[in-house]
Amino acid sequence: MDRIRLDTAGAGAEYGGASGFPGAVAPVGVPGRSAPRLLCSGVTARDRFAIVPASAAPGGLVSADDLPDGLVIADHAARVSVFNKAAARLTGIAFADAIGADVRDVLPLRDRDGRDWWSCADPYHGLNTRTRHPEAALYLADGTEILVAVGYARERRRGHQVCRLTVTLRGAEGLARLERSRADLVSTVAHELRSPLTSVKGFTATLLAKWHRFTDDQKRVMLETVNADADRVIRLITELLDVSRIEAGRLEVHRQVVDVAERVRRLIAGRVAAGDSEDRFRLEMHGTTPEMWLDPDKIDQILGNLIENAVRHGGGTVTIVVEAVPGLGPGGGAAVSVRDQGEGIAPEFAPRVFRQFWRAKRRGGTGLGLYIVKGLVEAHGGTITVHRAPGGGAEFRFILPAGAPDFA
């Protein structure tokens, strides 16, 4: 096991305590305050310290002030011995005012109901089997919301009394963004589901109530509409499942040899069979692509979504360019560009198009399609960009490495 080096103000020492947890023993001086006392066997905490394996390169120290989250450490008497810059920024309390003060005064935490967290949790006199408090949203005296997690260090030889309390602090902005994202998702799903379900309900109720009054052609039109609306609901649910898998990192790629150009031809043929003009599409091949090991279903989803966007939001001819990329990894790769001749995407909007719920002005859709496309491309180890097409309009270009079979 590596020994741990705690460095204080650049002048640290190594110490192996009786408990096996080594720590620095160089005390600090804060005007008007006593130096921190020994917290646990062989451990002393201070205002500025660094923790690195002793085997690390000399001088490769990491200061507590380098941590992105707030760090507050209090000793057995609840006196603050560590208070980094992030903690000062989040709480608005100066370092000099925090060191040596009672942690309950430095962090007057309250829950959503206004109750004092320290009185409810009672970390120093509560259950001696407690080891931590999971992260929770709490409030400072001025109403600032912060995310707080607490860990305990206990001294076994003293009845498992708390000898050190470690508190981490994070801003709640990320949580607020997540809650807004969830609210947007619920609103979008409700809106997108309401229209097709209303249509399905209306047509089925009408058919059940007045079946004999309609001709066969009228019944067929109604049933075709119900079928199309049901497909729309299925697509939305599929998109939501894809978003969930992408966010959770559970997107599985089942690779096999895929002819990308042939996949494009099939998608174009399908759209022509569905009523689009054959002259609306053009496929260009530049060079010979290598053997591509990709997930065929996900490649169809990527291509289908980009072509659908070009048809719906663009104008003129939709051009799909498939070309080899020889310098991409050991096996090379392929690039696919989907171009339209519409208005294009303004440069200032380009960074946003792959975010959730981004939609072109006055356009329909869930705003999830391009987010899913980006996730599918990246799951193959590729990249996707958007810029202005050579002849005007938008061009979405994704590059994929050749890949290898799953069993390789």
Side-chain angles (χ1 to χ4, degrees):
M1 175 179 172
D2 273 333
R3 292 159 63 83
I4 304 296
R5 181 182 181 191
L6 303 186
D7 183 82
T8 303
E14 291 185 0
Y15 179 84
S19 68
F21 188 96
V25 292
V28 221
V30 175
R33 303 266 172 84
S34 59
R37 296 173 60 188
L38 196 66
L39 301 180
C40 292
S41 300
V43 180
T44 299
R46 273 241 15 229
D47 57 313
R48 300 283 199 276
F49 70 96
I51 305 177
V52 295
S55 58
L61 301 178
V62 179
S63 168
D65 285 338
D66 294 333
L67 298 175
D69 297 335
L71 177 65
V72 181
I73 297 180
D75 63 13
H76 67 285
R79 293 180 303 177
V80 175
S81 53
V82 174
F83 197 80
N84 70 350
K85 288 182 178 179
R89 172 177 54 80
L90 290 168
T91 62
I93 299 173
F95 162 76
D97 295 333
I99 292 298
D102 192 301
V103 67
R104 292 162 290 200
D105 296 329
V106 174
L107 300 176
L109 301 173
R110 295 189 174 276
D111 63 17
R112 294 182 185 274
D113 298 323
R115 295 172 299 189
D116 179 60
W117 182 85
W118 296 100
S119 299
C120 296
D122 196 13
Y124 285 97
H125 303 99
L127 295 173
N128 62 7
T129 57
R130 183 181 292 159
T131 59
R132 61 186 289 270
H133 288 280
E135 188 175 70
L138 297 174
Y139 298 85
L140 297 175
D142 61 359
T144 301
E145 183 180 10
I146 55 175
L147 304 179
V148 182
V150 181
Y152 296 79
R154 297 184 180 276
E155 181 59 75
R156 294 182 179 179
R157 292 175 297 181
R158 297 180 181 176
H160 294 276
Q161 294 181 357
V162 175
C163 59
R164 185 175 68 256
L165 202 66
T166 302
V167 183
T168 59
L169 309 173
R170 290 197 302 130
E173 296 84 0
L175 179 62
R177 285 194 299 270
L178 178 60
E179 290 177 347
R180 286 196 299 269
S181 177
R182 288 175 176 171
D184 288 341
L185 179 61
V186 171
S187 175
T188 299
V189 171
H191 176 76
E192 292 298 321
L193 284 176
R194 181 176 181 177
S195 178
L197 290 179
T198 300
S199 173
V200 168
K201 174 63 177 175
F203 279 118
T204 53
T206 300
L207 287 171
L208 288 171
K210 303 177 181 180
W211 177 265
H212 299 292
R213 297 186 184 182
F214 296 108
T215 66
D216 289 345
D217 289 340
Q218 289 173 326
K219 293 174 184 176
R220 182 177 183 84
V221 170
M222 291 184 183
L223 290 174
E224 286 176 347
T225 304
V226 169
N227 184 63
D229 286 331
D231 288 340
R232 181 177 168 187
V233 172
I234 291 172
R235 282 196 302 271
L236 175 60
I237 293 173
T238 301
E239 286 184 347
L240 294 174
L241 290 173
D242 286 336
V243 168
S244 174
R245 294 188 185 104
I246 290 170
E247 291 184 338
R250 294 186 289 106
L251 199 62
E252 296 182 355
V253 176
H254 303 286
R255 296 180 183 271
Q256 56 184 275
V257 176
V258 172
D259 185 336
V260 178
E262 181 59 28
R263 290 281 166 177
V264 174
R265 292 189 188 96
R266 290 183 183 180
L267 286 170
I268 292 175
R271 295 198 66 92
V272 171
D276 287 336
S277 171
E278 188 173 357
D279 296 335
R280 184 79 192 273
F281 305 97
R282 182 170 68 239
L283 172 62
E284 297 181 6
M285 291 288 299
H286 297 169
T288 303
T289 59
E291 185 179 75
M292 302 292 293
W293 286 85
L294 309 169
D295 188 315
D297 293 334
K298 291 179 174 57
I299 293 302
D300 285 348
Q301 191 173 352
I302 293 169
L303 292 169
N305 196 299
L306 294 179
I307 293 173
E308 171 70 21
N309 277 353
V311 171
R312 179 186 299 177
H313 305 302
T317 302
V318 176
T319 303
I320 302 98
V321 181
V322 181
E323 55 189 317
V325 183
L328 188 65
V336 180
S337 300
V338 180
R339 305 167 180 166
D340 62 57
Q341 297 176 330
E343 298 177 0
I345 296 173
E348 61 269 23
F349 293 143
R352 310 180 196 174
V353 298
F354 297 109
R355 296 179 185 174
Q356 289 186 34
F357 311 117
W358 187 88
R359 283 174 280 193
K361 189 176 181 180
R362 297 186 301 274
R363 304 288 188 178
T366 62
L368 296 174
L370 291 176
Y371 173 81
I372 294 171
V373 164
K374 183 174 183 288
L376 296 176
V377 169
E378 292 178 347
H380 284 83
T383 58
I384 184 169
T385 56
V386 60
H387 47 81
R388 190 165 185 81
E395 176 179 349
F396 287 86
R397 175 181 172 86
F398 64 93
I399 302 175
L400 300 174
D406 295 331
F407 52 81

